[in-house]
């Protein structure tokens, strides 16, 4: 169903593709390899990109990128860090106003708005 590639360098050489059958396997594959390789790219049967992570950060699908930011910067930490949250959004392709000072609840609401605004884009 999917072909998963681990790149030795971004956009350059890569290992032969690994077959990935289900969405759960795809998610696990990306989570397992995104920190170890500069790029992880998963394509569908027509060679369209299904998921892409660069330098440990999911950049496509945008919804996955937002879910990852939520997991790492809102759900897991004991103390919310507004600057780290904004930097994570920037790295994931969602620029923010540098003057914004998020609080945890406001950050959660902002992510929900972003998620809803990209509905149907991917």
């Amino acid at each position: 169903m999917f072909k998963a590639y681990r790149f030795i360098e971004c956009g350059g050489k890569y290992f032969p593709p690994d077959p990935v059958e289900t969405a759960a396997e795809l998610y696990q594959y990306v989570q397992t390899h995104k920190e170890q390789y500069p790029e992880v790219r998963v394509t569908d049967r027509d060679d369209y990109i299904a998921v892409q992570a660069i330098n440990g950060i999911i950049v496509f699908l945008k919804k996955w990128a937002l879910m990852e930011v939520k997991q790492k910067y809102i759900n897991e930490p004991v103390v919310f860090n507004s600057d780290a949250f904004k930097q994570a959004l920037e790295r994931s392709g969602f620029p923010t106003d540098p003057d914004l000072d998020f609080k945890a609840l406001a950050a959660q609401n902002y992510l929900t708005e972003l998620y809803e605004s990209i509905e149907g884009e991917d």
Side-chain angles (χ1 to χ4, degrees):
M1 183 174 189
F2 298 99
K3 293 183 283 184
Y5 298 87
R6 294 166 291 136
F7 283 75
I8 298 165
E9 55 190 52
C10 283
K13 295 180 181 181
Y14 52 86
F15 292 101
D18 297 311
V20 180
E21 295 299 321
T22 67
E25 288 176 6
L26 189 154
Y27 180 79
Q28 187 59 47
Y29 187 93
V30 172
Q31 291 300 316
T32 300
H33 297 294
K34 70 180 179 142
E35 301 292 337
Q36 299 169 332
Y37 296 93
E39 181 178 359
V40 174
R41 186 184 306 168
V42 181
T43 61
D44 64 14
R45 69 184 100 218
D46 297 321
D47 283 334
Y48 289 107
I49 295 175
V51 179
Q52 184 177 25
I54 297 176
N55 296 324
I57 298 165
I58 296 173
V59 295
F60 185 81
L61 295 162
K62 290 181 180 182
K63 290 178 185 176
W64 279 30
L66 289 175
M67 288 189 303
E68 184 170 60
V69 169
K70 181 179 182 284
Q71 179 67 28
K72 283 186 175 181
Y73 296 94
I74 294 177
N75 294 355
E76 290 179 2
V78 174
V79 177
F80 177 76
N81 182 320
S82 180
D83 289 333
F85 175 74
K86 288 190 297 188
Q87 290 170 7
L89 285 174
E90 291 279 340
R91 288 191 309 267
S92 296
F94 296 94
T96 60
D97 181 340
D99 296 329
L100 282 176
D101 184 22
F102 286 102
K103 303 297 181 225
L105 181 58
Q108 171 67 41
N109 292 338
Y110 186 73
L111 279 178
T112 300
E113 289 174 18
L114 280 175
Y115 191 86
E116 290 171 354
S117 75
I118 61 170
E119 197 70 38
E121 279 189 24
D122 294 329

